[in-house]
Amino acid sequence: MDNLLAARSQMALSLGFHIIFSCIGMAMPFFMAVSHYKWLKTGDEQFKNLTKAWSKGVAIFFVTGAVSGTMLSFELGLLWPTFMKHAGPIFGMPFSLEGTAFFIEAIALGFYLYGWKKFKPWFHWFTGVMVGITGLASGILVVSANAWMNSPAGFDFVNGEYLNVDPMKAMFNEAWFSQALHMTIAAFVSTGFAVAGVHALMILKGKNTLFHWKAFKIAISFGAVCAILQPISGDISAKDVAQRQPAKLAAMEAHFKTEERASLIIGGIPNEKEKRVDYAIKIPGALSFLAHGNFKAEVTGLDRIPENNHPPVAITHYAFQVMVGCGVILMLSGILFLIAFYRKKKWLEASWFFRLFAILTPLGYIALEAGWVVTEVGRQPWIIYGVMRTSEAVTPMPGIQYSFYLYSLVYLSLSVVVTFLLYRQIKNIPLKYDANNIHPSLTLK
C-alpha cells in the first residue's frame, strides 16, 4: 500500500466514522428539545422521561464525535501537510468558528445534563436548544470548508503562489449553500429514521409502547418531512455541480459522451474501457433537465475532459445510485407516515407499519455515507478542485499504512464501546421508565 492509498483510506475511514456522529449532533438535540417543550407545556411525565433518555444518548454521541473530530484535525496535518500549508490560511476561518461553536455546545450540554432542578425550567430548556443550534452551526461550518475544496475561492493562484487571500469569500464560496442545505437535511433524515426505527422496534416488542410511541412520532416527523424536502436540495446540488464540476456529474451518471437531450441513467454497470454503461435504464432528456432545467440542453461528458482528470467512474456512479435509491425509499416512507397519521389511522395499529420503519433504521446513514463517497471520490484527482492534486498534497513520510492500521483499530474499538453503551441504554428504558404503561391503541395486529 503506497502513501497516497494509505492516506486516502485513513481519511475515508475517519470521515465515514465521524460523519455519523456529526449528523446525530446536528439533529438529535432538536428531538430532545421538542420532547422537553412538550413536557413543559403538558406536564406529561412520559415526555420528561423521554427527554432524559435522549439527553444521555446525545451525551454519548457528543463525546464520541469529539474524539473522532479531534483525530481528524490531527490527520489533516499528518497526512496532507502541503494542503494545510497553502489552504490553512485561506479556509481556516470556518474551522476556527467551528471550534467556537463546539466550545459553546460543550458548555450548553453540560448545563443541560446537570441543570435538572437547578435552573428555571425554561432556561434549562433553552440550554438544550443551544446544544442543537451550536451543533447545527458546527456541521454547517465544516461543510463550508469542504465546499471550498470543491469550489475554491477567496484567493488568486499566481505562479504557484496563493495571493490576495479573502477568508470571508473563501468561507461563503459558490458551493457552500447547496452543500450545507443538502447535508443539513440529510442529517435530519438519517437521524430521524434511525431514532424512529429503534423506537418502532421497541413498540413491536410490546413494552412501554406509550413511551416509545411518543418518541417515534417526534423522530419520524422530522425524518419524514425532511425526506420529502431532500429531493429539492438534491436538485439544487445537481445543478450546482453541473456548472462547477462537470467531471463529477459525468462520473455520477456514468455519462461518457457529450450530448444534447442527455439520458438519465438508472442502475447499470459502467464499462470505463469501452466508454459505455451496460444494463442501465435510460430516461431520454431527463439528465439535461436535472442538470440545466432544459430537456434539450447539452450535458458535458467525460469525452471533453482530459483522461488524467477523470474521477473513478464506477465507484462514484454506484455510490450515487445507492444514495438516490435510499433517498427515494425514505421519501416514500415519509409520505406513507404522513398519510397514516392524517388519513389512515388504522395503519398505526398494524405491525407491518412499525416493522417497515424498524427495517429502515440504517438506510439514512447508508445514503449519507454513499453521498460523501460521491462528494469526495467525485472530486478526484483534486484535493483543491482545479488547483492542487491529491497526489501533490500527501505527506512524503514513510509508513503511513501503519497509521491507517492503528486508526482502524481505534475506530473499531470506539464502535464497539458506543454500540455497547447504546444497547445498554435502550435495553434499560422499559425497566426504568414505567414498563407497564401501554398505549391503548397500539395493540398491534
Side-chain angles (χ1 to χ4, degrees):
M1 183 182 291
D2 62 19
N3 263 16
L4 181 58
L5 179 58
R8 288 187 62 193
S9 298
Q10 184 170 322
M11 284 301 295
L13 175 68
S14 301
L15 283 168
F17 184 87
H18 180 68
I19 192 174
I20 294 176
F21 299 97
S22 296
C23 288
I24 293 171
M26 292 170 71
M28 196 165 176
F30 289 101
F31 304 175
M32 180 182 74
V34 169
S35 177
H36 195 164
Y37 176 83
K38 286 180 172 290
W39 172 57
L40 292 175
K41 294 296 288 186
T42 66
D44 186 339
E45 287 292 314
Q46 288 286 352
F47 285 120
K48 179 182 177 181
N49 295 335
L50 175 58
T51 304
K52 287 187 172 183
W54 274 350
S55 69
K56 292 179 181 179
V58 168
I60 292 170
F61 290 123
F62 176 83
V63 171
T64 310
V67 172
S68 58
T70 302
M71 293 169 70
L72 265 172
S73 65
F74 282 114
E75 286 177 289
L76 284 172
L78 172 69
L79 303 176
W80 315 103
T82 306
F83 167 72
M84 291 304 296
K85 174 184 174 182
H86 297 293
I90 303 171
F91 79 151
M93 180 176 286
F95 275 128
S96 299
L97 293 175
E98 191 275 335
T100 303
F102 177 80
F103 178 68
I104 297 172
E105 182 183 6
I107 294 173
L109 182 59
F111 281 173
Y112 191 79
L113 292 174
Y114 297 100
W116 294 95
K117 298 182 180 180
K118 294 180 177 66
F119 296 134
K120 291 185 177 180
W122 285 105
F123 177 77
H124 185 220
W125 171 80
F126 175 73
T127 62
V129 173
M130 283 302 299
V131 173
I133 292 173
T134 50
L136 189 62
S138 291
I140 290 173
L141 287 164
V142 170
V143 170
S144 173
N146 179 267
W148 178 84
M149 297 165 69
N150 288 296
S151 179
F155 66 97
D156 295 323
F157 187 63
V158 182
N159 297 324
E161 298 289 328
Y162 297 77
L163 307 173
N164 304 321
V165 173
D166 184 345
M168 289 297 292
K169 190 174 180 181
M171 184 166 70
F172 296 107
N173 56 79
E174 291 183 1
W176 86 268
F177 175 75
S178 60
Q179 279 197 210
L181 177 65
H182 197 58
M183 185 65 200
T184 299
I185 295 176
F188 279 91
V189 174
S190 54
T191 305
F193 273 87
V195 174
V198 170
H199 290 286
L201 182 61
M202 300 306 293
I203 290 172
L204 287 169
K205 291 184 176 182
K207 297 179 180 180
N208 202 10
T209 53
L210 179 59
F211 173 87
H212 291 292
W213 162 247
K214 291 175 185 290
F216 174 84
K217 187 166 63 172
I218 293 172
I220 198 59
S221 295
F222 277 99
V225 171
C226 290
I228 294 168
L229 294 176
Q230 187 71 301
I232 299 173
S233 71
D235 181 66
I236 294 171
S237 294
K239 287 180 169 57
D240 180 62
V241 169
Q243 294 295 326
R244 294 182 301 94
Q245 294 177 293
K248 179 185 285 188
L249 180 70
M252 288 160 56
E253 283 294 330
H255 184 61
F256 290 103
K257 184 180 178 181
T258 302
E259 60 184 357
E260 297 179 352
R261 299 179 184 272
S263 298
L264 180 70
I265 293 175
I266 300 175
I269 301 174
N271 186 329
E272 295 185 58
K273 197 172 189 180
E274 300 292 332
K275 310 298 182 188
R276 70 171 191 265
V277 184
D278 300 321
Y279 313 113
I281 299 171
K282 297 184 178 181
I283 305 176
L287 181 58
S288 293
F289 179 77
L290 290 174
H292 301 293
N294 183 344
F295 286 101
K296 299 179 181 180
E298 181 180 87
V299 178
T300 302
L302 290 167
D303 58 339
R304 283 196 183 170
I305 297 162
E307 196 154 335
N308 65 333
N309 290 341
H310 285 191
V313 177
I315 295 174
T316 307
H317 177 70
Y318 293 140
F320 181 66
Q321 296 294 309
V322 169
M323 179 188 71
V324 172
C326 292
V328 169
I329 293 172
L330 294 174
M331 178 189 69
L332 294 176
S333 300
I335 293 172
L336 181 73
F337 166 74
L338 294 179
I339 292 173
F341 191 75
Y342 289 105
R343 295 288 183 183
K344 300 286 186 179
K345 298 287 187 181
K346 287 188 177 180
W347 291 358
L348 300 177
E349 302 174 22
S351 59
W352 66 262
F353 182 82
F354 291 99
R355 191 172 291 114
L356 168 66
F357 286 97
I359 293 170
L360 294 177
T361 300
L363 206 63
Y365 290 119
I366 293 172
L368 194 69
E369 297 286 3
W372 271 99
V373 170
V374 172
T375 299
E376 297 302 294
V377 176
R379 188 180 63 244
Q380 298 307 313
W382 307 100
I383 192 168
I384 306 176
Y385 187 72
V387 177
M388 180 186 292
R389 290 179 178 271
T390 308
S391 58
E392 298 168 347
V394 71
T395 179
M397 184 178 70
I400 291 299
Q401 67 269 27
Y402 300 112
S403 172
F404 169 56
Y405 301 146
L406 176 61
Y407 272 71
S408 299
L409 181 62
V410 170
Y411 286 124
L412 179 62
S413 302
L414 280 173
S415 299
V416 171
V417 171
V418 171
T419 301
F420 169 74
L421 291 174
L422 291 177
Y423 173 77
R424 190 176 67 173
Q425 178 70 12
I426 294 168
K427 184 179 178 182
N428 288 342
I429 284 175
L431 299 176
K432 193 173 182 180
Y433 300 123
D434 192 7
N436 296 316
N437 197 332
I438 306 301
H439 194 297
S441 66
L442 289 180
T443 305
L444 301 183
K445 301 173 183 176

